[in-house]
Amino acid sequence: MTNNIPFEGENEVSVVLRIVEGDLPAVHGDRRLNQVVDLASLISGCWNLLPTKRPTSKMCERYVYRMDRATPNNRNGDGIRSARLLVSLAYMHMKKNRLNEAFEYLNQSQSVARSTTDRLATADTNRGLGDAYSMKAEWSKAEEAYAVARGIYVQMGHSSDLANTVKALGDVYRSRGSYVAAGESYITARDYYLKIGDQAGSAGAVKALGDAHRLQKKYLEAEQSYIAAREIYTQIGHQIGVADGARALGDVHSLRGQHSRAKELYLTAHNIYSGIGSQESLANTLKALGDVHGLLMEYSKAMESYITARDIYTQIEDRKSCADTLKALGDIYHLLKTYSKATESYVTARDIYTQIGNQKDHADTLKVLGNVYHLLTEYSKATESYITARDIYTQIGDQKSRADTLKALGDVYHLLGEYSKATESYITARDIYTQIGDRKSRADTLKALGDVYHLLKKHSKATESYITARDIYTQIGDRKSRADTLKALGGVYHSLKKYSKATESYITARDIYIQIGDRKSRADTLKALGDVYHLLEKYSKATESYITARKNLHPNWGSEEPCKYGDVYCLLGEYSKATESYITAHDIYTQIRDERSRADTLKALGDAYHLLEKYSKATKSYVTARNVYTQIGDQLNLSETLAALCDTYTRVDDKLPLAEASKALGDVYHLLAEYFEAMKSYLTARNIYTQIGDWRNLSETLAALCDTYTRVDDKLPLAEASKALGDVDHLLGEYSKATESYVIARDIYTRIGDWRNLLETLAALCDTYTRVDDKVQLAEASKALADVYHLLAEYSKATKSYITARDIYTQIGDQKSHADTLKISGD
């Protein structure tokens, strides 16, 4: 393979010594072995020093059987390789997804076949071109190439090659969605295989026929075909075929929702593939297993399967499948709200799809990546991902996916308050859904469009959109969405003061929510209905709606719940009466020792005082509620109470309590893993502590902020906060803590190349090391500072820092560092 003799130039003694020490010839990393990497791997396994880890003769036979092969025909007299050898080399590259190299060999083969008028070589080359074009999803070119090959094979009577080509044509038809034509091709191929006695080929065609049935959702026919194929494989002892059949049956059961049965079949296939060492098929099965585990909500097992599959795909250089698995792994992380890991998986998958030119999957990954950025409120990144995905879908003519992306893009523009852009995206999406007949998605988009028109106070357009959406939801039987749209329509009628129509819409929505058991939406609708009754001065109906709404939100409360009247008075705007009711309720809860209800009532009492602008009383109520929630460990209500307390302190401009409450609120959000909300609260506390010069509390707040930035892996803010923390600790004389913070900031600024901030951090480090008289660290920091000045072409400052470092190295006797510094400063 390399024209080299193993251990060339060595004597017998040195050869034995190298073998004993495991110093064997390298079989990987040599470009001449890239085309036969499987054979090279097998040789490497046979050389293992431990006999138990070497492949058996049977395993060697299996491995060699599955390898690509070619007859090493002699070159022609002019040094040109034979066409059939070139085709075989092309297939080796195709197996590793190196399509550019494959096309290069196929084009060479076509030229050789043409010049030698070798018709069989022409047919083989065209079949190879068909396979390569299929891998690129260029179906028209693939079909054309296969058709040429088929015609030649028919004329020459090459039944085996003809059967393989007809089956490949069926694969093209199937991929294009022409399932009837695909089925006909598979049946024809099956008959050819039977005619020449190729049972394995016949089973493969029957299995492919099952695939076509499966894609048409004809699951019974698909199952019958798969079972027939598996039986043939079993009869002839074709283990890979048996495993393939089991995996295909698993696919059918999974599509039927029979995920447990699918898992059993996948595990059967997995065991067979593991036993015979079929890495690609094993990885495919692990990927399918991961999908089923995900559907069964066995997320840890799903991740385990995906990660193992990903690693195998990486080893065998199947980049497309590796990307598919990374995307599936990202989907699991997405479901688990582990957004940083989801983003990492999606970005890696996206990059692979870009490299291999797979536009559809590239766009699909960009779209889900946009969804994650949306959830992380990183709207600029979400917009960028959606726009790129939309443009790719437009280029490849995928209208459904283009519309879905436009809808998602409209949602982001909606959140950003860019209503004209949102409207434009929604309208384009709506029109596409109308063209392709996707009624559910059209209705969803109309509902979203209505929401934007409502915000823009374009009530007639909002009404039109909502009514059309409502009618579609009625037709397709989507009750939840119909009720949501009726509720929104009621809101428009409310704004237009068409109270009878608003009441009618709300009541219909309420009744649907009752039927489907959606208590939260029912409560929201009852609250809105109560508001309309209030405006119509139908106070008894308003009160009834408000109380029912409250009971729906808290179904365990009885009809004599003492807090309910305060809530009703608040909703009616009668806050003084509300405070009286809350105080009575509070006294009752105190007597019966119901701490949670007592805290809830105190929180509500604080809200009422706040609305009456009695801020001192509001503060007192909130503080007591805060203390109770802290004692009982109710973090969610504690966060709401602290937020209300912060708002109260803001209104009376009481800075120190506001800072303390903001810091406490940040701690609660941090505990609840709501890190972005925690950041906002910590930043508020930081700013106030900075203004009033409370360095001790500022240090604690900055430390909490650093921890939060670390958890969301936001490097630049982490560096800035670490630098600020170092400055505060330095001011407090806590130099070891200051050093730790400065070092964190220094490392981040170095990684991201922020030289100006790095200069400030290094200067602060130098000052800290000076204060603690740490000469070694001071010398190194001074030299690093000089290096950055040098990089920024501030040579006089660089020289000064180099001299400082040089003098310290001289003092401590570090001759090498002294010399290095002298050399650099000389430069």
Side-chain angles (χ1 to χ4, degrees):
M1 291 185 286
T2 64
N3 293 323
N4 293 330
I5 298 172
F7 305 110
E8 191 169 11
E10 302 275 356
N11 58 43
E12 291 183 2
V13 175
S14 62
V15 168
V16 171
L17 183 62
R18 284 184 60 183
I19 291 173
V20 170
E21 292 178 348
D23 183 13
L24 303 173
V27 295
H28 292 292
D30 189 324
R31 61 185 299 274
R32 292 169 295 183
L33 300 177
N34 285 345
Q35 297 166 353
V36 285
V37 66
D38 289 337
L39 183 57
S41 297
L42 179 60
I43 291 171
S44 179
C46 292
W47 286 348
N48 198 300
L49 292 176
L50 296 174
T52 56
K53 292 192 175 181
R54 296 173 196 156
T56 64
S57 59
K58 191 67 177 176
M59 290 171 67
C60 289
E61 182 183 358
R62 286 200 207 104
Y63 287 143
V64 173
Y65 176 78
R66 290 198 305 274
M67 288 177 191
D68 297 312
R69 62 200 68 237
T71 303
N73 294 354
N74 292 328
R75 295 172 182 258
N76 297 327
D78 54 3
I80 299 172
R81 284 172 168 168
S82 76
R84 278 183 287 282
L85 177 59
L86 289 164
V87 170
S88 292
L89 290 171
Y91 272 107
M92 291 179 186
H93 284 294
M94 276 190 265
K95 188 174 180 181
K96 303 300 179 186
N97 269 309
R98 296 193 288 261
L99 294 181
N100 290 335
E101 292 89 338
F103 275 111
E104 185 179 336
Y105 281 118
L106 288 167
N107 289 332
Q108 290 178 34
S109 174
Q110 203 166 39
S111 298
V112 172
R114 192 180 297 115
S115 65
T116 58
T117 63
D118 187 337
R119 296 182 68 218
L120 182 57
T122 300
D124 291 343
T125 303
N126 274 281
R127 197 172 101 205
L129 283 167
D131 291 343
Y133 283 128
S134 292
M135 291 180 71
K136 290 187 72 176
E138 295 183 15
W139 307 118
S140 297
K141 291 181 179 179
E143 182 181 1
E144 184 180 341
Y146 285 139
V148 172
R150 179 185 60 188
I152 296 172
Y153 290 138
V154 168
Q155 293 170 9
M156 298 184 70
H158 278 248
S159 299
S160 178
D161 292 323
L162 175 60
N164 292 333
T165 306
V166 171
K167 180 181 177 298
L169 262 172
D171 295 339
V172 170
Y173 294 138
R174 185 187 69 198
S175 298
R176 295 173 76 170
S178 303
Y179 301 123
V180 174
E184 291 173 356
S185 292
Y186 291 140
I187 290 169
T188 303
R190 179 201 63 191
D191 293 344
Y192 281 132
Y193 286 127
L194 290 172
K195 186 176 179 181
I196 60 177
D198 185 345
Q199 287 184 289
S202 169
V206 173
K207 180 186 174 295
L209 181 62
D211 294 338
H213 287 315
R214 173 175 55 80
L215 290 167
Q216 294 178 84
K217 299 183 180 179
K218 296 179 178 179
Y219 298 132
L220 179 60
E221 292 89 335
E223 184 177 7
Q224 291 170 347
S225 294
Y226 290 145
I227 290 171
R230 187 178 61 176
E231 287 176 354
I232 297 171
Y233 285 131
T234 302
Q235 290 167 11
I236 63 177
H238 194 301
Q239 286 293 90
I240 290 180
V242 174
D244 290 344
R247 193 175 83 220
L249 280 167
D251 293 340
V252 171
H253 284 290
S254 182
L255 289 166
R256 284 175 165 175
Q258 300 165 343
H259 304 307
S260 296
R261 176 58 181 150
K263 183 168 71 171
E264 292 174 11
L265 287 159
Y266 288 142
L267 287 170
T268 300
H270 172 274
N271 294 336
I272 297 173
Y273 291 135
S274 298
I276 60 180
S278 181
Q279 291 293 87
E280 183 180 1
S281 298
L282 176 61
N284 293 338
T285 306
L286 283 163
K287 166 71 168 59
L289 257 176
D291 295 340
V292 169
H293 284 312
L295 291 165
L296 291 170
M297 294 187 286
E298 299 171 350
Y299 298 126
S300 60
K301 290 183 178 180
M303 287 188 285
E304 184 181 344
S305 294
Y306 286 143
I307 289 169
T308 308
R310 177 202 64 189
D311 293 344
I312 295 173
Y313 286 133
T314 302
Q315 290 167 12
I316 65 177
E317 298 181 36
D318 187 342
R319 293 192 292 167
K320 166 69 167 65
S321 298
C322 181
D324 293 342
T325 307
L326 280 163
K327 181 175 177 298
L329 184 59
D331 293 340
I332 295 295
Y333 287 134
H334 191 169
L335 279 169
L336 294 173
K337 299 183 180 179
T338 312
Y339 297 128
S340 60
K341 288 188 176 181
T343 303
E344 183 182 346
S345 294
Y346 287 144
V347 167
T348 308
R350 177 201 65 190
D351 293 344
I352 295 172
Y353 288 133
T354 303
Q355 292 162 13
I356 65 178
N358 191 315
Q359 288 185 294
K360 174 69 167 71
D361 289 323
H362 179 198
D364 290 344
T365 308
L366 280 165
K367 183 175 179 300
V368 292
L369 188 58
N371 295 342
V372 173
Y373 287 137
H374 185 166
L375 290 166
L376 291 170
T377 67
E378 295 183 22
Y379 297 127
S380 60
K381 288 184 178 180
T383 303
E384 183 182 347
S385 294
Y386 287 143
I387 289 173
T388 308
R390 177 201 64 190
D391 293 344
I392 295 172
Y393 288 134
T394 303
Q395 290 168 16
I396 64 177
D398 187 339
Q399 291 291 82
K400 172 70 167 70
S401 298
R402 180 185 171 216
D404 292 342
T405 308
L406 282 162
K407 168 68 168 59
L409 186 59
D411 293 340
V412 173
Y413 285 139
H414 186 169
L415 288 167
L416 290 170
E418 298 182 24
Y419 299 128
S420 60
K421 288 184 177 180
T423 303
E424 183 182 347
S425 293
Y426 286 144
I427 288 173
T428 308
R430 177 201 65 190
D431 293 345
I432 295 171
Y433 288 133
T434 302
Q435 291 166 14
I436 64 177
D438 187 340
R439 292 195 294 167
K440 172 70 167 71
S441 298
R442 181 185 173 215
D444 291 342
T445 309
L446 282 163
K447 166 71 168 58
L449 187 59
D451 294 340
V452 174
Y453 284 139
H454 192 179
L455 285 167
L456 293 171
K457 298 183 179 179
K458 296 181 179 181
H459 299 308
S460 61
K461 288 188 175 182
T463 303
E464 182 183 349
S465 294
Y466 286 144
I467 289 174
T468 308
R470 177 201 64 190
D471 293 345
I472 295 172
Y473 288 134
T474 303
Q475 292 163 13
I476 64 177
D478 187 340
R479 293 191 293 168
K480 173 70 167 70
S481 298
R482 180 184 172 219
D484 292 342
T485 308
L486 281 162
K487 180 174 172 291
L489 185 60
V492 175
Y493 288 138
H494 188 162
S495 300
L496 292 170
K497 298 182 180 179
K498 296 181 178 180
Y499 299 129
S500 61
K501 287 189 175 182
T503 303
E504 182 182 346
S505 294
Y506 286 141
I507 289 172
T508 308
R510 177 202 64 190
D511 293 344
I512 295 172
Y513 288 133
I514 291 170
Q515 292 167 14
I516 64 177
D518 188 339
R519 303 184 71 93
K520 175 66 171 63
S521 298
R522 180 189 175 198
D524 292 340
T525 308
L526 284 162
K527 164 67 172 62
L529 184 60
D531 292 342
V532 173
Y533 284 139
H534 188 189
L535 290 167
L536 291 170
E537 298 183 359
K538 296 180 179 180
Y539 298 119
S540 61
K541 286 189 174 183
T543 304
E544 182 184 351
S545 292
Y546 290 142
I547 291 173
T548 309
R550 184 71 179 187
K551 287 173 67 179
N552 269 272
L553 287 172
H554 302 279
N556 294 326
W557 287 358
S559 59
E560 296 303 318
E561 157 55 37
C563 189
K564 68 184 178 184
Y565 297 110
D567 295 339
V568 172
Y569 284 133
C570 271
L571 291 167
L572 292 172
E574 298 182 18
Y575 303 121
S576 296
K577 289 184 178 180
T579 57
E580 293 173 8
S581 294
Y582 286 138
I583 290 169
T584 303
H586 172 265
D587 293 342
I588 295 170
Y589 290 131
T590 302
Q591 290 169 13
I592 64 175
R593 298 182 181 180
D594 185 343
E595 289 296 282
R596 181 177 299 281
S597 298
R598 178 178 166 237
D600 292 341
T601 306
L602 284 163
K603 166 71 170 58
L605 180 59
D607 293 340
Y609 281 136
H610 191 281
L611 289 165
L612 288 168
E613 299 183 3
K614 295 182 178 181
Y615 298 122
S616 62
K617 289 186 175 182
T619 301
K620 184 178 179 181
S621 295
Y622 287 142
V623 167
T624 309
R626 177 200 65 190
N627 295 340
V628 176
Y629 284 133
T630 302
Q631 290 168 10
I632 64 177
D634 187 339
Q635 300 298 330
L636 187 59
N637 279 311
L638 176 59
S639 67
E640 293 177 2
T641 305
L642 285 167
L645 195 55
C646 287
D647 185 44
T648 305
Y649 287 136
T650 301
R651 289 178 181 273
V652 297
D653 196 27
D654 197 345
K655 287 188 170 56
L656 181 56
L658 174 57
E660 292 170 348
S662 297
K663 168 63 168 61
L665 180 58
D667 292 341
V668 175
Y669 281 136
H670 191 281
L671 193 63
L672 292 170
E674 296 183 16
Y675 298 121
F676 294 100
E677 294 299 325
M679 284 179 212
K680 293 177 188 175
S681 297
Y682 287 143
L683 289 170
T684 301
R686 179 202 66 183
N687 294 340
I688 296 171
Y689 286 134
T690 302
Q691 289 170 16
I692 64 178
D694 187 338
W695 309 123
R696 185 65 61 188
N697 281 315
L698 177 58
S699 174
E700 292 179 6
T701 304
L702 285 167
L705 193 56
C706 286
D707 184 46
T708 306
Y709 286 135
T710 301
R711 288 179 182 273
V712 298
D713 196 26
D714 201 344
K715 289 186 171 54
L716 181 56
L718 173 58
E720 293 169 348
S722 297
K723 168 66 169 58
L725 179 58
D727 292 342
V728 174
D729 286 334
H730 187 280
L731 187 67
L732 293 169
E734 298 184 3
Y735 299 120
S736 61
K737 287 185 179 180
T739 301
E740 290 176 10
S741 297
Y742 286 143
V743 167
I744 291 170
R746 177 199 67 190
D747 292 346
I748 295 172
Y749 286 135
T750 302
R751 285 200 297 271
I752 66 178
D754 188 339
W755 310 123
R756 287 295 169 193
N757 280 315
L758 179 58
L759 279 176
E760 293 181 10
T761 306
L762 286 167
L765 259 176
C766 287
D767 185 45
T768 306
Y769 290 136
T770 301
R771 290 178 181 273
V772 298
D773 195 28
D774 189 339
K775 288 187 170 56
V776 174
Q777 295 296 338
L778 175 58
E780 292 180 358
S782 297
K783 182 178 176 300
L785 182 62
D787 291 342
V788 179
Y789 279 132
H790 188 275
L791 184 68
L792 295 172
E794 296 185 18
Y795 300 120
S796 60
K797 292 181 179 180
T799 302
K800 184 177 178 182
S801 294
Y802 281 135
I803 290 170
T804 301
R806 179 202 65 192
D807 293 346
I808 296 171
Y809 285 133
T810 302
Q811 291 172 21
I812 63 177
D814 188 340
Q815 297 300 322
K816 184 178 185 309
S817 299
H818 179 198
D820 291 343
T821 307
L822 282 169
K823 179 182 180 301
I824 297 170
S825 61
D827 294 339

